[in-house]
Amino acid sequence: MSRLPKINLFNTLGDDRPTPSNPAAGGTMPALLGLRGLAAVSVVLFHINRQIKIDVPDWLWFVTTHFGHGVFLFFVLSAFSLSYTNVRRIGQPNWLVQYAIKRFFRIAPLFYAVLASELLRQYLSAGRIISPDWQIFANITFTFGLVPHASMVWAGWTVGVEMLFYAVFPFLLIALTGTSRAILLLIVALAVSLVSRIIIGNIDLDTGRSPPWAYFSFQSNLWFFALGMVTFFFINWYTQLETIAHRTVSIFAGISIAILLWVSEALRFVPDWRIVRPDLLVFGIIFAILTAWQYLRPSWLLSNGLMRYLGDRSFSIYLCHPVFLFYFRDQIYMIHDFFVSRLGSPAFLVTSLTVMICLMAIVEVTFRAIELNGLRLSSMASRAVSRKPRATNQP
């Protein structure tokens, strides 16, 4: 029975990284890192259209309807990756403390920096901080994912969802000891997500809030995390399938994804199901298959240097891009107007490319100045926790 190849996504998965080395070095599986890059870029393109209203060519219609789903790909990848990096640590001394340290320092430094910039923006524009104290407290403690529309960081709702998942993940990991429990987790997660979407969605309709809290709440998104965990465990429980999978995974995954995309499109237009959004739940399965596919048989399209680079910086891309689009929207409009008069609707692509190039200049700064230093602090704290006291000679 062969062993599956080792995945080492460094900061993406919460592993120690003392230096900003190439995340794909050392015989790793960089395609999953590339998937994170793909998810981040898709969300940026989605917000270029939705946030600052840059028109998308008709033949790129799926950007406006599907690229926002990149956040759910993040959820699936996060659960899959955490399962891989922590399953062997269960029972080790202080593993829960080290897990908490790594998760905190992976998320908190950059999130707090963007949160501070939002507080500064409020003070400079209004002469005072507008957000109430309870909302600031909820964001500092990462409990805002439990309160409707309490996120202060633009697009930061996913952080509230992720941090709640991080809190329950160790218990789910310990509980997953067999196929029956994995299936039970999927059933429970699906039921919780469906019921939550129905209940919260009806409240959204009554209050007229938009965007809907049913889309942003943790319980509504539990399904995606469960899919990521169970996908990893099925692959590793049945490692005898690895040889077969390497031969057929591309064909099987391609056909399955095509069928599920058709199912998702059919469900998207069912009027009575708009609150539940079963099409999004189907996309969770698509992303789980895509993750397993790239784990078993990585594609160069996702594992090349550019995708690894984007994936390594995906968190900075995600948190920084809404602020960038807001403050530089006038310049982006000028760029788009210049190209649209010459190219027509394809100007969206040139504008998006320009946005990405400029955004990455900022991302590189936040990644190196904040994220990498956060990871160094994580490594230092983890070593301090794991350091054993020296034995003393007894008289």
Side-chain angles (χ1 to χ4, degrees), residues 234-276:
F234 272 124
I235 289 175
N236 284 271
W237 281 333
Y238 301 107
T239 51
Q240 65 268 27
L241 297 178
E242 182 188 358
T243 302
I244 300 175
H246 271 84
R247 298 172 182 170
T248 62
V249 65
S250 298
I251 297 175
F252 172 79
I255 294 174
S256 299
I257 289 174
I259 294 173
L260 290 171
L261 282 172
W262 179 85
V263 172
S264 175
E265 283 300 293
L267 293 174
R268 190 161 67 93
F269 294 102
V270 179
D272 295 337
W273 290 359
R274 291 292 175 88
I275 295 176
V276 179

Side-chain angles (χ1 to χ4, degrees), residues 12 226 280 376 389:
T12 301
L280 296 183
R376 293 185 180 100

Side-chain angles (χ1 to χ4, degrees), residues 71-373:
V71 294
F72 306 119
L73 177 55
F74 276 127
F75 294 160
V76 173
L77 284 170
S78 178
F80 185 95
S81 303
L82 285 176
S83 298
Y84 182 89
T85 55
N86 287 280
V87 68
R88 298 171 181 83
R89 298 173 182 170
I90 296 177
Q92 294 181 0
N94 299 316
W95 81 274
L96 279 175
V97 176
Q98 291 184 343
Y99 163 81
I101 289 172
K102 290 181 178 181
R103 290 298 88 208
F104 177 81
F105 283 104
R106 178 65 190 95
I107 300 297
L110 182 59
F111 181 82
Y112 285 159
V114 180
L115 177 61
S117 71
E118 168 59 17
L119 292 172
L120 179 62
R121 182 194 70 82
Q122 292 183 15
Y123 183 80
L124 293 177
S125 61
R128 63 185 180 87
I129 294 177
I130 300 174
S131 298
D133 292 342
W134 69 264
Q135 189 176 19
I136 298 174
F137 176 80
N139 278 260
I140 292 175
T141 58
F142 296 105
T143 55
F144 64 94
L146 298 171
V147 185
H149 309 287
S151 175
M152 294 175 59
V153 172
W154 297 341
W157 68 271
T158 58
V159 175
V161 172
E162 283 268 6
M163 292 300 272
L164 291 174
F165 170 69
Y166 293 161
V168 301
F169 169 78
F171 306 101
L172 296 177
L173 185 67
I174 294 171
L176 284 181
T177 57
T179 303
S180 59
R181 291 195 177 187
I183 295 174
L184 179 61
L185 174 60
L186 283 181
I187 294 173
V188 171
L190 180 59
V192 170
S193 295
L194 285 173
V195 172
S196 299
R197 288 171 181 272
I198 293 172
I199 295 175
I200 301 175
N202 282 310
I203 295 175
D204 288 329
L205 290 177
D206 293 339
T207 58
R209 293 297 299 265
S210 182
W213 175 242
Y215 185 88
F216 295 143
S217 67
F218 165 70
Q219 56 270 29
S220 298
N221 292 289
L222 182 60
W223 168 245
F224 302 105
F225 294 109
L227 280 170
M229 292 188 70
V230 172
T231 298
F232 168 78
F233 277 100
F234 272 124
I235 289 175
N236 284 271
W237 281 333
Y238 301 107
T239 51
Q240 65 268 27
L241 297 178
E242 182 188 358
T243 302
I244 300 175
H246 271 84
R247 298 172 182 170
T248 62
V249 65
S250 298
I251 297 175
F252 172 79
I255 294 174
S256 299
I257 289 174
I259 294 173
L260 290 171
L261 282 172
W262 179 85
V263 172
S264 175
E265 283 300 293
L267 293 174
R268 190 161 67 93
F269 294 102
V270 179
D272 295 337
W273 290 359
R274 291 292 175 88
I275 295 176
V276 179
R277 291 300 304 271
D279 57 304
L280 296 183
L281 302 180
V282 172
F283 255 91
I285 304 175
I286 293 174
F287 292 147
I289 295 174
L290 182 60
T291 300
W293 178 6
Q294 293 308 305
Y295 176 68
L296 291 169
R297 196 171 183 85
S299 166
W300 178 86
L301 292 175
L302 291 169
S303 60
N304 63 74
L306 175 60
M307 295 307 297
R308 297 197 306 266
Y309 177 85
L310 294 172
D312 206 29
R313 291 150 179 80
S314 57
F315 188 42
S316 278
I317 294 173
Y318 181 78
L319 280 191
C320 293
H321 84 272
V323 181
F324 178 86
L325 294 179
F326 176 80
Y327 284 109
F328 291 96
R329 60 188 184 279
D330 291 338
Q331 289 75 19
I332 296 173
Y333 291 145
M334 291 174 58
I335 294 171
H336 182 258
D337 291 342
F338 175 82
F339 285 109
V340 78
S341 62
R342 292 161 173 79
L343 302 175
S345 59
F348 172 83
L349 296 175
V350 181
T351 303
S352 299
L353 178 60
T354 306
V355 167
M356 284 300 306
I357 292 173
C358 296
L359 173 63
M360 291 310 298
I362 298 174
V363 163
E364 192 64 25
V365 174
T366 61
F367 175 73
R368 292 186 176 277
I370 301 175
E371 289 196 70
L372 288 182
N373 283 319

